[in-house]
mmCIF file of all heavy atoms in Angstrom:
data_model
loop_
_atom_site.group_PDB
_atom_site.id
_atom_site.type_symbol
_atom_site.label_atom_id
_atom_site.label_comp_id
_atom_site.label_asym_id
_atom_site.label_seq_id
_atom_site.Cartn_x
_atom_site.Cartn_y
_atom_site.Cartn_z
ATOM 1 N N PHE A 114 -55.915 3.565 -14.292
ATOM 2 C CA PHE A 114 -56.247 3.307 -15.696
ATOM 3 C C PHE A 114 -55.208 3.916 -16.618
ATOM 4 O O PHE A 114 -54.866 3.368 -17.651
ATOM 5 C CB PHE A 114 -57.655 3.831 -16.023
ATOM 6 C CG PHE A 114 -58.744 2.924 -15.552
ATOM 7 C CD1 PHE A 114 -59.592 3.301 -14.525
ATOM 8 C CD2 PHE A 114 -58.905 1.676 -16.123
ATOM 9 C CE1 PHE A 114 -60.593 2.468 -14.098
ATOM 10 C CE2 PHE A 114 -59.892 0.806 -15.693
ATOM 11 C CZ PHE A 114 -60.758 1.198 -14.667
ATOM 12 N N GLU A 238 -10.527 -17.156 -36.408
ATOM 13 C CA GLU A 238 -10.630 -18.457 -35.680
ATOM 14 C C GLU A 238 -9.466 -18.572 -34.748
ATOM 15 O O GLU A 238 -8.377 -19.016 -35.112
ATOM 16 C CB GLU A 238 -10.682 -19.566 -36.703
ATOM 17 C CG GLU A 238 -11.957 -19.577 -37.527
ATOM 18 C CD GLU A 238 -11.984 -20.646 -38.547
ATOM 19 O OE1 GLU A 238 -10.932 -20.990 -39.137
ATOM 20 O OE2 GLU A 238 -13.077 -21.208 -38.774
ATOM 21 N N ALA A 240 -9.752 -19.995 -31.459
ATOM 22 C CA ALA A 240 -10.128 -20.850 -30.307
ATOM 23 C C ALA A 240 -9.028 -21.935 -30.115
ATOM 24 O O ALA A 240 -8.584 -22.578 -31.043
ATOM 25 C CB ALA A 240 -11.459 -21.548 -30.586
#
Side-chain angles (χ1 to χ4, degrees):
F114 282 113
E238 292 178 324

